[in-house]
Amino acid sequence: MNANFPTHAAPIKLYRHPKSGHCHRVELMMALLDLPYQAIDLDMANGAHKAPSFLAMSPFRQVPAIDDNGVTLCDSNAILIYLVKSYPTNYDWLPDTPEAAAEVQRWLSVAAGEIAHGPCAARLVTVFNAPLDHEHAKAAAHRLFAVMEQTLNVRDFLAGSAMTIADVAGYSYIAHAPEGGVSLEGYPSIRAWLKRIESQERFVGMARTPLPEGV
């Protein structure tokens, strides 16, 4: 257990869907920080995300949300920042220097933009039958991956030579992109980056879904 976590406190409650990449990035961050947490799977098909108690934490009816002993928060990227600021370690997950902090923020914006509209959206179609344009999402994913491949050709992680919350935010949907019909075969630098993240102590993965035909 992280020595910075108060021993009297209860585990952080993580309200999630087990196959949501947004939820997994929070779970991965808590695991990497060695924080005790309790995963609570919401029955979203039956409207659990619309219950007043959940709306008090997440007014947009979205997972993930956390309850850290009375501190409630939603939005996966915001939660990542909260966790590394609340429970600091000897590792610099969120650099303070202007250039490095801006680079991390750039990739957090990519996680909320290009990743959400590319590999995330493509996977929503195949895993959750979302009524989205699958071909458009796959094309967006490959445009994103072309940029990422160039970036990861020259450095080990998205924001530089060391892993940051930018990599945690980016990992889940990219690692599971083949589940959305987006192959990673042509992106060796991205695949090497995924392996570097997966080699981290206390890494936890997300539940896998069978691949669609042709991937």
Side-chain angles (χ1 to χ4, degrees), residues 73-143:
L73 189 63
C74 60
D75 182 85
S76 58
N77 287 344
I79 294 171
L80 297 186
I81 293 171
Y82 168 82
L83 291 172
V84 298
K85 288 293 188 180
S86 297
Y87 302 104
T89 66
N90 293 328
Y91 190 87
D92 196 5
W93 289 101
L94 181 57
D96 289 327
T97 62
E99 184 177 357
E103 188 68 4
V104 169
Q105 179 57 58
R106 182 169 79 94
W107 286 102
L108 292 180
S109 296
V110 169
E114 286 84 351
I115 289 177
H117 298 303
C120 171
R123 185 173 172 272
L124 283 173
V125 174
T126 58
V127 177
F128 297 102
N129 297 313
L132 302 172
D133 187 332
H134 194 212
E135 293 304 316
H136 178 81
K138 290 194 293 182
H142 284 297
R143 288 194 298 270

